[in-house]
Amino acid sequence: MPYVITQNCCKDASCVPVCPVDCIRPNRDSAGTEMLYIDPGTCIDCGACQEVCPVDAIYSADQLPQPLAPFAGLNAAYFDAHPLRPADPPVPPARRTSHPSTLRVAIVGAGPAGCYAATELLGVRNIEIELFDRLPTPFGLIRAGVAPDHQATKNVVRVFDRGLADPRLHCHFNVEIGTRITHADLLAHHHAVIYAVGASAGRKLGIGGEPLPGHHSAADFVSWYNGHPDAADIEVNTSHLRAVITGNGNVALDIARMLLLDPDRLAVTDIADHALDTLSRSMIREVVVLARRGPRDAAFSVGEFLALGDLDGVDIQLVGADDLTGRPGDDVETAAKLDLARSYAARSILPGNKRLVLRFHTEPVELLGPDRVRALRVRETGAAGGGDEIPAGLVISAIGYRGRPVEGLGFDDERGIVPNDRGKVVDAPGAYVTGWIKRGPRGVIGTNRICAAETVAALLSDFDAGLLDREISDRQALGELLTDRGITEIGWPGWLSIDAAERARGAQVSRPRRKFVTVDSLLGSALSRST
C-alpha cells in the first residue's frame, strides 16, 4: 500500500530527499501548499519517508487512523491536478562544505528558525555557533505555540537534538539580547549575528474597547495555555456561555478546540496546569469564529478544518457561507475545504452539544463593556453602520502576529519585520535575520528550514567575499562577559535537566510533561540538577 502524508505535516521536507522514486511534492519550495503529498501511483511502499518524518505525519494507507482517512484522497487529488514529472536537474551546492578559517556566528532565538539556521551552519566545517535565547528553554513556538492536543507536531524537536548537542555549538539560555548584552557586544565576539527572534506581539484590531479585561490577543492566549512564563499570570474568564474569536486562521481554530475540548482530552496533553484547571471549570458552551471573507478564502488549512470534525459532543454551524460550490480553477486544498464545509453544513444540530459557529463575511466593530467585555458589536464586512451584538465574556483576537524592534537594527513598523535582502539586514554589516522577523508571520514550522538555508547562504557568501573578516574576541572572553554582567545562563545540560524533570512530573499523572511556567522554577530545576 502507498504511504500517505496527513494532518501533522510540518513541511520540513526531511522526507523528500530519502524517497527513492522522487514521488513527494512539492520537492523544492514547499511555500505554495499547506503540506507535502505522496503520489500513490508512484510510491513503492518502502517506508523511508515514514522513518525520517519528524512529526509522525506519514502512514501506510492501510494503517491510516479513521480520522485521517480523508488524507488518502487528498494526496491522490494533488497528483491528479499536478501529474508527477521527472525530477528537475540537480542544483549544484551554493556553498562549500568547509572554510579555511574559523567562522563564529551568534544566533539569537532558539525557536525553529534559529535551530534550523544552526543545523544548516553545522553542515560546514570550521564554524562555531553561540545560540542565545531569553528564556531558560529552547524551541520557541514549538514549545509555546503548538496546541497541546498536537503532541506529534512537537516531535519535530528531534531534528535539532543532535545539532544542539554538537561541541561546536554552545547554548546560552536565559540570556536576553538587547538589555545587559547588546548587539554591539555580540559583534565584538562573533563574525556575524543571525536574529531569529520571531514575531511575539499580537496584531491589534483597531476598534474601540480593546483594552477591556476579557479581551486577549491570540499571542497571549496561546502562550497562556502553553505555559509561557510571560503569560502565566493572565486571567482568562470562562464563566460566560459564549466566547468569540476574531480571525479564522489555524491559530483561531486551535484556540476554538482548546475552549471546546472535553477536559479529559486536555488532561492527557502538556497543557499548563493553570490552563487545565481553568478550562476544566469552563462554562463556555459556544465559540463563535469570525471571518471577514467567505469559506473559499478561509485562512485555516485543510488539516485544521478536518480536525474540527473530531470534536466529540461539538456541533459545527456555518453562518454566512453563501458559496460552497466548487469552481473549475480551484486548487486541491480549496476544493477539499469546500467539500468539508458542505459536509459540516449538512450535519444535524443535536440538543445538549456544545457548538462551534463559523461566521463568515463578518467584521468586528467594537468591544462593549463598560468594566469588562460583555459583548462584541459586529457587522457585515464592508457595511456602513448597523450590525448586531454578540454577547460574550471572552473575546480573542487571532488576526496575526507581528515582530518587535530589535536593538541595534532598523525596523519596518508597517510589516513588523527587520528590513533585509534575502536574510541580510539592510544597513547593518554582520547582521542577518531568519524566520518571522525576516519574512513576516506566515508559513509553518518546516517553512523555516528553507528560510534559514537562504539566510545562511547569504552569510557564507559574505564570509567568502571577505566582508566578515575582522578581529573578534575568543569564546572565553564571551563567557567572562556574561559573568561580569551578572547573567545566570543555562546551557544544553541545564535544559536536559528541565526536560527530564517536566517529563517525570507528567509521568506521575499520565501526561507527556507538566511544565514549569515561571522563570524561577525553570532555573531552579536546571541549576539543582546540573550542579
Side-chain angles (χ1 to χ4, degrees):
M1 296 290 288
Y3 279 77
V4 177
I5 298 179
T6 64
Q7 177 182 338
N8 284 331
C9 178
C10 68
K11 291 170 62 175
D12 168 276
S14 297
C15 55
V16 173
V18 304
C19 177
V21 292
D22 190 34
C23 71
I24 303 176
R25 292 291 186 275
N27 66 340
R28 182 164 299 170
D29 182 357
S30 60
T33 63
E34 296 170 352
M35 55 182 285
L36 303 182
Y37 301 96
I38 295 173
D39 180 16
T42 307
C43 176
I44 60 173
D45 194 22
C46 70
C49 56
Q50 185 184 49
E51 292 179 9
V52 300
C53 178
V55 294
D56 303 321
I58 302 178
Y59 295 81
S60 176
D62 60 352
Q63 296 178 347
L64 272 173
Q66 184 55 41
L68 300 179
F71 283 94
L74 188 60
N75 278 243
Y78 178 83
F79 289 96
D80 288 342
H82 306 280
L84 196 62
R85 296 181 175 88
D88 295 329
V91 177
R95 57 175 173 78
R96 301 196 307 260
T97 58
S98 66
H99 286 278
S101 58
T102 298
L103 170 64
R104 188 176 305 127
V105 180
I107 300 176
V108 181
C115 288
Y116 275 120
T119 301
E120 188 76 13
L121 285 166
L122 288 171
V124 184
R125 292 189 294 274
N126 292 334
I127 287 186
E128 296 175 352
I129 302 169
E130 310 291 337
L131 178 64
F132 297 85
D133 200 282
R134 72 180 182 89
L135 293 179
T137 56
F139 305 135
L141 284 181
I142 301 174
R143 176 178 170 92
V146 175
D149 63 332
H150 284 357
Q151 288 296 308
T153 303
K154 301 187 180 194
N155 290 337
V156 72
V157 299
R158 298 180 300 198
V159 171
F160 309 129
D161 284 348
R162 182 177 178 182
L164 296 184
D166 191 296
R168 293 177 295 156
L169 184 150
H170 289 180
C171 295
H172 305 277
F173 304 143
N174 197 48
V175 179
E176 185 169 7
I177 305 301
T179 53
R180 286 183 288 179
I181 300 294
T182 66
H183 176 62
D185 291 329
L186 292 181
L187 285 179
H189 294 81
H190 305 86
H191 295 99
V193 183
I194 299 176
Y195 286 91
V197 294
S200 58
R203 290 190 176 276
K204 300 287 187 180
L205 285 170
I207 62 175
E210 281 196 86
L212 284 171
H215 172 244
H216 306 278
S217 71
D220 287 343
F221 191 77
V222 170
S223 294
W224 171 77
Y225 65 60
N226 272 315
H228 192 293
D230 289 353
D233 295 330
I234 289 178
E235 294 186 9
V236 175
N237 178 22
T238 59
S239 63
H240 288 240
L241 295 178
R242 181 184 293 110
V244 178
I245 304 169
T246 61
N248 72 339
N250 286 345
V251 173
L253 297 197
D254 282 346
I255 293 170
R257 286 199 323 279
M258 291 300 102
L259 292 173
L260 292 170
L261 271 174
D262 186 282
D264 289 342
R265 289 186 61 177
L266 287 174
V268 296
T269 73
D270 66 349
I271 188 171
D273 286 353
H274 57 255
L276 177 60
D277 179 61
T278 297
L279 295 176
S280 294
R281 295 182 285 105
S282 172
M283 300 295 292
I284 294 171
R285 302 291 299 174
E286 179 178 281
V287 175
V288 181
V289 177
L290 303 182
R292 293 177 182 269
R293 298 189 291 177
R296 174 177 297 282
D297 300 306
F300 50 70
S301 68
V302 175
E304 293 299 324
F305 197 28
L306 179 64
L308 297 181
D310 192 36
L311 293 174
D312 294 332
V314 178
D315 293 329
I316 300 175
Q317 182 178 4
L318 276 63
V319 176
D322 52 356
D323 182 12
L324 299 179
T325 305
R327 299 174 186 170
D330 287 342
D331 60 43
V332 170
E333 288 156 345
T334 299
K337 290 177 189 178
L338 294 175
D339 283 343
L340 277 170
R342 288 192 295 270
S343 71
Y344 291 153
R347 289 186 178 185
S348 300
I349 303 298
L350 301 178
N353 275 358
K354 295 180 182 179
R355 184 176 300 180
L356 174 59
V357 180
L358 303 177
R359 181 166 170 172
F360 298 95
H361 299 293
T362 304
E363 62 182 8
V365 176
E366 183 183 9
L367 287 157
L368 304 176
D371 54 337
R372 60 174 303 109
V373 171
R374 307 291 180 181
L376 176 65
R377 179 176 291 126
V378 298
R379 66 187 173 202
E380 184 177 347
T381 303
D388 61 308
E389 295 180 11
I390 305 176
L394 175 65
V395 176
I396 301 167
S397 301
I399 57 172
Y401 293 69
R402 60 177 280 111
R404 302 178 189 271
V406 177
E407 180 270 329
L409 306 182
F411 190 68
D412 183 334
D413 190 63
E414 182 177 348
R415 300 176 63 195
I417 65 170
V418 171
N420 69 94
D421 178 12
R422 290 170 292 182
K424 182 176 181 177
V425 176
V426 175
D427 298 328
Y432 302 82
V433 285
T434 188
W436 282 1
I437 197 63
K438 168 188 173 182
R439 66 182 191 273
R442 61 180 186 274
V444 293
I445 292 171
T447 312
N448 292 295
R449 184 177 185 180
I450 297 168
C451 184
E454 180 183 60
T455 295
V456 169
L459 186 158
L460 294 176
S461 177
D462 285 350
F463 187 59
D464 286 343
L467 300 180
L468 304 178
D469 188 12
R470 54 192 172 78
E471 292 294 325
I472 60 172
S473 301
D474 59 21
R475 271 187 160 177
Q476 182 178 347
L478 175 63
E480 292 171 352
L481 175 67
L482 295 173
T483 300
D484 290 344
R485 301 283 171 88
I487 296 172
T488 302
E489 63 171 315
I490 301 299
W492 185 244
W495 156 246
L496 293 180
S497 295
I498 294 171
D499 184 46
E502 289 184 340
R503 290 180 184 276
R505 281 158 43 94
Q508 295 173 354
V509 288
S510 301
R511 296 175 59 191
R513 69 172 68 235
R514 287 180 61 212
K515 293 177 180 176
F516 298 108
V517 299
T518 66
V519 170
D520 285 345
S521 60
L522 288 163
L523 292 178
S525 177
L527 297 175
S528 66
R529 289 169 174 259
S530 59
T531 57

